[in-house]
Amino acid sequence: MGKKTKKEAEPPPKDVFDPLTIESKNAATVMLLLNSPEEEVLADVCEAIYRFALKGEENKATLLELGGVEPLTKLLTHEDKIVRRNATMIFGILTSNSDIKKLLRELDVMSSVIAQLAPEEEVVTHEFASLCLANMSVEYMGKVQIFEQGGLEPLIRLLTSPDPDVKKNSIECIYNMVQDVQCRATLQELNAIPPILDLLESEYPIIQLLALKTLDVVTNEKEFRAMLRDSQALDHLIKILETKELNDLHMEALSVMANCLEDKETMVLIQETVLKKLLSFAENSTNPDIQKNAAKAVTKAACDSENRKLFHEQEVEKCLITLLESENDGTKIAASQAISAMSENSSSKQFFNNQGIPQLIQLLKSDNEEVREAAAFALANLTTCNHANANAAAKADGIEALINTLSSGRNKVVANAATVLMNMATQEPLRLSIQTHDIMHALRGPLCSANKVVQSKATLAIAAIACDAKARTELRNSGGLEPLVELLRSKNNEVRNHASWAVMVCASDEPTATELCRLGALDILEEIDLSVSRKNKFSEVAYNKLLNHHLSLKYSKTGYLSSSNIINDGFYDCGRILIGTKFLPLKDLCLQEPSDLHTVLLVNSRSSDVYHFSAGFGSPTEEKSEPTSGHNTALSKSATKEKGSRKGRGKKEEEKVKEEEEVAVAPKLTGEGNTDKEWCPPSDPDFCVYVCEVTKSILPITNIREQIELLAKYVAEKMGGKIPKEKLQDFSWQLHISELKFQLKSNVVPIGQIKKGIFCHRALLFKALADKIGIGCSLVRGEYGRAWNEVQLMNEPQKGLTGAFSPPEFYIVDLMFHPGALMKLRSQEADLYRFL
């Protein structure tokens, strides 16, 4: 046998490149290898890029600049499993860079990343693919792409992965996505709650934390709360709360529980055990965040009346008062908010009367505006419809603190402080105390606020406090009426209504009413009442209240004066004025040359030597009255008072009449005499005589019906006597009036100088004289020069019933055809008198 020789190796094929080992330290060189067709090369290059990117943010930016991101995305769909895995690992790291995330969204590679979550892929692939999605889901558009590509379902499946990193990344991505309502709806369909609850048993706190945060978001919706209740989730939460080692998770667990407690069904399940533990956490924990979240849990649960009842039975009020004294502002805020919620329960509201309100008053002095806001809100709720709590706030020196709070720059603080002051002002002693603190000056700022809620609450406070003349004077002097009137123009219904209410209250005295009218309140209210959409009961009442202080304007606009609208000297009737027509002051009318315009009828029993005229609306300061409530008004109180004191008048009455007769002098018309003197309206000596005569002859009569009949005959006698219906056309009253205007050189004619008068003249004279001697009657303007007076009289006792009277009825007084006759208001005879 020959010697064996070693077999020589076969040479490589000629078309195959000999193996080449390259060692490169330049990233740009490595990027070129991403286009290699060799799987081993790609796997090694990806591994090298992963290590490079792991070193820091600068390296990630370098990879982006070198254009390596786009070729890497193509490797996510490579046939080789190792290449796909390594490429996925790179993107798990790179997506922490915002610029790379933006590029990936543009390249639309989300479906490729989601594909790496498939069950057949390696755990490492799952880990970095889920990390990539968690990073991408931080931004809204990333959430959208993940959702649209169906990423939620595989993420939920991976919550049961044996690898903790996969679980952590998956729940983090889900947490980010459930911030969107559409994602939450899908989460519910995929039954994600059970696997999320299982994560609460994890040995890794970060996974537990992310699971609790996710539950905290989704349990804001009722459907998820029901799912948690059915899954016994509260047992998991209680277990976490009872474990001291998990105190880092207590805050989130309490927050989830707070959401669950909003459901009545949940409260019923846990009232015996969990509520006590919850309150114990709130009261005994030294962690402010835990205390805060426990108080928030109470706040949320207390939205339901049954829950409030259960909390009260567990004496939650004591716990909340303890939290008010915490040094942490967040805890104080949460406790104040919980007290606000619990104040809806009457028993709880009563409990806070002696404890709680003083602490809340002290919180109003805090430097933290959020603390002041929460305290003011709690006080507003506690004092609403509760006089005892309003008194308690005042006793705790709350008035000064609340008024100081009105200057806060935080709108809700101001609005709530104004609400508390309004609640206090419903009691007269407290209202008077508030008025001693310059309250109207303090409310001027809120009235000028641009915030609608502040405006609304400020006007309500004005309405509550301005019940007294002193307060109204302070409001005028502080310049508060101007912004109040401006709020009547508000487009907000609530603000406009409340401003109207405040104007109505402020119009209770003439100086304030005059100033309101000067600022344009009357015009604005008239405009509101003409609007179908803006008109309201408050504006209507305010408008009438202001008109009651200027009867001349009221009669011109409405054509009606009630028995409580007492005509005083300086009243003038310039006829009906159309909407939008300017109402001229008496002085301006007196200065006009006589013309064929409507004659202005003036009532004035004072001499120009003693008359001091107020410039306000051109009406005297004496012209004022009580508000009217329509036709159904009883005889004025002044008439009753005068009748009760007639017997004791005697010589004093006669001396007064004599004095008035001496004062009556020749008419002093506008523009005549010394121009340096203050202007005064024309005097009316004849009317002065009328007043004296009816005071002497009619006032002493005790029978009201007889008084009315005699006064009617007296007025008819002074105005041309009885006029038969058939001769009414021949009664030349127009010529007489024209002669008077020419004689006086003015369109203004004193009523006493008219000797030939018809319906409108006689009705005005009757009303003016009746008001002087206390006979209650109204004045109504009709069409075509018609006007009449309505009186209310008691009927005679019914036959057979001793002392029984039928209800009072309204009558119209005949001053023309049968002077002194009384016609029932709804009778045919009365209709003929008024309309034919």
Side-chain angles (χ1 to χ4, degrees):
M1 292 180 63
K3 187 178 180 181
K4 292 183 179 180
T5 57
K6 187 177 181 180
K7 188 177 181 181
E8 295 181 3
E10 296 183 4
K14 294 180 180 180
D15 60 343
V16 176
F17 197 87
D18 293 338
L20 176 66
T21 302
I22 298 176
E23 185 175 326
S24 176
K25 296 184 179 181
N26 190 300
T29 303
V30 176
M31 292 298 105
L32 298 174
L33 297 176
L34 290 174
N35 296 318
S36 172
E38 297 184 60
E39 297 170 354
E40 292 182 5
V41 172
L42 291 175
D44 292 340
V45 167
C46 287
E47 188 175 348
I49 292 174
Y50 168 76
R51 291 195 300 269
F52 178 72
L54 202 58
K55 292 179 180 179
E57 291 298 319
E58 290 184 1
N59 291 358
K60 296 174 188 176
T62 299
L63 292 173
L64 179 62
E65 291 173 3
L66 293 173
V69 175
E70 187 170 358
L72 279 170
T73 59
K74 297 176 181 179
L75 299 183
L76 290 172
T77 57
H78 198 278
E79 294 179 356
D80 186 77
K81 198 170 187 177
I82 297 176
V83 173
R84 291 201 307 272
R85 181 197 66 190
N86 291 354
T88 303
M89 291 172 62
I90 294 172
F91 282 112
I93 302 300
L94 290 182
T95 47
S96 63
N97 182 284
S98 58
D99 293 328
I100 293 176
K101 282 193 286 189
K102 182 179 179 182
L103 178 60
L104 289 177
R105 288 197 302 270
E106 294 173 356
L107 295 173
D108 195 18
V109 298
M110 211 64 71
S111 58
S112 301
V113 178
I114 293 172
Q116 307 311 308
L117 302 179
E120 61 271 14
E121 297 292 343
E122 298 179 8
V123 172
V124 174
T125 305
H126 288 167
E127 176 188 344
F128 285 94
S130 58
L131 176 61
C132 175
L133 293 176
N135 290 334
M136 294 294 292
S137 64
V138 172
E139 297 173 359
Y140 175 73
M141 289 307 300
K143 293 186 185 73
V144 172
Q145 289 187 354
I146 295 172
F147 177 77
E148 290 178 347
Q149 296 297 330
L152 266 178
E153 185 174 2
L155 285 168
I156 292 171
R157 186 183 67 250
L158 290 180
L159 292 179
T160 57
S161 171
D163 186 83
D165 290 320
V166 175
K167 289 181 178 179
K168 181 263 180 187
N169 295 336
S170 299
I171 189 61
E172 184 176 1
C173 185
I174 292 172
Y175 168 69
N176 291 336
M177 293 188 68
V178 295
Q179 311 298 322
D180 180 72
V181 62
Q182 195 172 3
C183 293
R184 290 198 295 273
T186 303
L187 198 71
Q188 184 179 342
E189 295 173 3
L190 296 173
N191 195 28
I193 293 300
I196 293 176
L197 288 176
D198 290 341
L199 296 182
L200 297 180
E201 303 289 342
S202 172
E203 58 181 305
Y204 298 97
I206 184 61
I207 295 177
Q208 293 175 306
L209 179 63
L210 288 168
L212 286 171
K213 284 187 172 184
T214 304
L215 292 173
D216 188 28
V217 174
V218 299
T219 50
N220 282 301
E221 297 182 8
K222 186 175 182 179
E223 294 77 12
F224 279 104
R225 292 196 294 269
M227 293 174 70
L228 259 69
R229 185 173 62 249
D230 296 340
S231 303
Q232 285 79 45
L234 293 176
D235 295 336
H236 294 281
L237 297 174
I238 293 170
K239 186 176 180 180
I240 291 173
L241 291 174
E242 289 177 338
T243 306
K244 292 183 179 180
E245 292 76 13
L246 299 178
N247 58 354
D248 291 341
L249 302 176
H250 287 175
M251 185 173 67
E252 285 72 22
L254 283 170
S255 185
V256 177
M257 183 171 287
N259 292 340
C260 294
L261 292 182
E262 290 187 44
D263 287 334
K264 181 179 176 180
E265 296 85 354
T266 304
M267 284 290 292
V268 173
L269 288 175
I270 67 171
Q271 59 179 302
E272 296 297 330
T273 55
V274 179
L275 280 187
K276 290 182 179 180
K277 292 179 181 179
L278 178 62
L279 299 181
S280 175
F281 267 102
E283 195 168 3
N284 300 324
S285 176
T286 57
N287 187 325
D289 289 330
I290 292 176
Q291 292 179 324
K292 178 177 66 176
N293 274 23
K296 286 183 177 180
V298 174
T299 303
K300 287 188 176 182
C303 292
D304 181 81
S305 59
E306 291 298 322
N307 292 354
R308 290 193 294 270
K309 184 178 178 181
L310 293 172
F311 273 131
H312 176 66
E313 292 172 357
Q314 297 294 331
E315 297 184 326
V316 70
E317 297 87 356
K318 292 181 180 179
C319 171
L320 296 176
I321 291 171
T322 301
L323 295 181
L324 283 180
E325 297 173 352
S326 168
E327 295 181 0
N328 181 269
D329 285 345
T331 303
K332 293 175 184 177
I333 293 169
S336 299
Q337 291 170 341
I339 290 174
S340 298
M342 286 301 300
S343 65
E344 296 294 325
N345 180 279
S346 57
S347 299
S348 295
K349 183 177 281 191
Q350 183 178 357
F351 182 93
F352 290 118
N353 177 264
N354 297 319
Q355 303 177 64
I357 288 181
Q359 290 91 328
L360 290 169
I361 293 296
Q362 290 302 312
L363 293 184
L364 290 178
K365 303 172 185 178
S366 171
D367 294 332
N368 188 318
E369 288 288 352
E370 291 186 10
V371 172
R372 297 174 73 189
E373 178 183 326
F377 182 55
L379 287 168
N381 286 346
L382 288 171
T383 56
T384 297
C385 301
N386 193 299
H387 287 178
N389 284 352
N391 278 313
K395 289 179 182 178
D397 298 326
I399 293 176
E400 185 176 356
L402 288 163
I403 292 177
N404 291 336
T405 304
L406 292 175
S407 61
S408 169
R410 201 176 183 94
N411 290 326
K412 290 184 179 180
V413 177
V414 177
N416 290 325
T419 301
V420 181
L421 290 167
M422 176 190 68
N423 293 338
M424 288 181 170
T426 57
Q427 301 176 70
E428 185 176 2
L430 297 186
R431 184 172 69 249
L432 296 176
S433 179
I434 290 171
Q435 290 170 5
T436 63
H437 288 77
D438 199 20
I439 177 62
M440 292 305 186
H441 184 269
L443 282 171
R444 190 184 186 283
L447 285 176
C448 298
S449 170
N451 183 272
K452 304 302 180 187
V453 177
V454 173
Q455 292 173 351
S456 176
K457 300 303 182 183
T459 50
L460 282 178
I462 293 287
I465 299 169
C467 299
D468 306 297
K470 183 180 178 182
R472 293 191 291 270
T473 301
E474 182 186 339
L475 182 62
R476 289 198 312 273
N477 295 339
S478 65
L481 289 180
E482 187 171 357
L484 177 60
V485 170
E486 195 59 32
L487 291 179
L488 291 173
R489 303 180 188 274
S490 174
K491 295 181 180 180
N492 182 277
N493 290 337
E494 186 176 89
V495 173
R496 187 171 59 252
N497 293 353
H498 292 169
S500 300
W501 187 2
V503 167
M504 177 194 70
V505 174
C506 292
S508 297
D509 62 62
E510 186 169 349
T512 309
T514 301
E515 180 65 11
L516 284 168
C517 292
R518 186 189 70 80
L519 293 169
L522 201 58
D523 295 334
I524 299 172
L525 288 169
E526 182 180 25
E527 182 184 340
I528 292 173
D529 284 349
L530 293 173
S531 170
V532 177
S533 59
R534 292 187 295 156
K535 183 178 180 179
N536 59 83
K537 291 182 179 179
F538 299 108
S539 64
E540 187 177 355
V541 174
Y543 179 68
N544 289 328
K545 191 81 172 283
L546 286 176
L547 283 180
N548 284 333
H549 288 279
H550 190 6
L551 298 184
S552 300
L553 177 61
K554 179 177 182 179
Y555 189 51
S556 290
K557 282 186 174 292
T558 67
Y560 179 78
L561 296 180
S562 73
S563 59
S564 62
N565 295 140
I566 307 301
I567 290 179
N568 286 299
D569 296 327
F571 175 89
Y572 60 101
D573 174 18
C574 60
R576 191 192 310 273
I577 61 172
L578 299 176
I579 296 172
T581 304
K582 183 179 181 182
F583 183 80
L584 296 177
L586 180 59
K587 180 178 180 180
D588 292 356
L589 293 170
C590 287
L591 294 175
Q592 291 178 349
E593 293 294 325
S595 65
D596 58 354
L597 296 175
H598 190 282
T599 303
V600 179
L601 304 177
L602 173 66
V603 176
N604 184 20
S605 64
R606 289 192 177 188
S607 167
S608 58
D609 293 334
V610 296
Y611 197 102
H612 297 285
F613 191 74
S614 170
F617 255 111
S619 62
T621 54
E622 297 90 339
E623 190 175 301
K624 58 185 177 181
S625 66
E626 294 298 322
T628 179
S629 58
H631 283 55
N632 298 324
T633 53
L635 296 175
S636 65
K637 294 182 180 179
S638 59
T640 307
K641 188 182 292 184
E642 286 187 14
K643 290 186 180 74
S645 59
R646 284 171 185 159
K647 295 182 180 180
R649 292 190 177 183
K651 293 182 180 180
K652 288 186 178 180
E653 192 65 47
E654 295 178 0
E655 290 173 0
K656 178 181 177 183
V657 172
K658 183 177 180 181
E659 183 180 76
E660 290 183 352
E661 288 177 338
E662 292 174 352
V663 168
V665 293
K668 188 171 185 179
L669 295 179
T670 305
E672 296 180 356
N674 189 351
T675 56
D676 293 334
K677 292 184 179 179
E678 183 182 2
W679 182 88
C680 57
S683 60
D684 189 354
D686 289 344
F687 182 67
C688 293
V689 173
Y690 296 168
V691 174
C692 294
E693 289 180 352
V694 298
T695 303
K696 279 184 178 180
S697 60
I698 299 178
L699 179 60
I701 298 173
T702 57
N703 185 285
I704 184 65
R705 184 182 291 266
E706 186 178 349
Q707 279 186 319
I708 293 170
E709 292 173 354
L710 289 175
L711 182 59
K713 291 177 181 178
Y714 180 87
V715 168
E717 179 187 346
K718 298 303 179 183
M719 286 282 183
K722 175 182 177 181
I723 311 295
K725 292 181 182 179
E726 62 274 8
K727 294 185 178 181
L728 183 60
Q729 298 296 329
D730 301 329
F731 189 59
S732 57
W733 63 273
Q734 295 96 333
L735 179 60
H736 172 64
I737 297 296
S738 297
E739 290 173 348
L740 284 175
K741 291 166 71 173
F742 179 77
Q743 177 186 346
L744 298 171
K745 298 179 180 179
S746 174
N747 287 321
V748 179
V749 177
I751 191 67
Q753 296 197 29
I754 299 176
K755 306 307 177 186
K756 287 187 176 182
I758 58 165
F759 298 92
C760 59
H761 310 111
R762 298 185 184 204
L764 176 58
L765 180 59
F766 184 90
K767 169 70 172 170
L769 292 174
D771 287 346
K772 292 290 184 183
I773 61 175
I775 297 177
C777 75
S778 62
L779 175 62
V780 186
R781 189 195 305 279
E783 300 292 339
Y784 308 110
R786 295 287 175 115
W788 59 89
N789 304 103
E790 298 175 4
V791 295
Q792 187 181 23
L793 294 174
M794 297 294 294
N795 290 317
E796 297 297 329
Q798 298 179 9
K799 293 182 180 180
L801 296 175
T802 305
F805 287 84
S806 59
E809 291 192 50
F810 283 97
Y811 295 85
I812 289 178
V813 183
D814 190 338
L815 302 173
M816 289 288 294
F817 309 132
H818 303 285
L822 299 179
M823 303 165 283
K824 287 187 178 181
L825 184 60
R826 303 303 176 192
S827 67
Q828 182 179 3
E829 186 181 12
D831 291 342
L832 289 172
Y833 183 85
R834 291 183 294 172
F835 306 125
L836 297 180

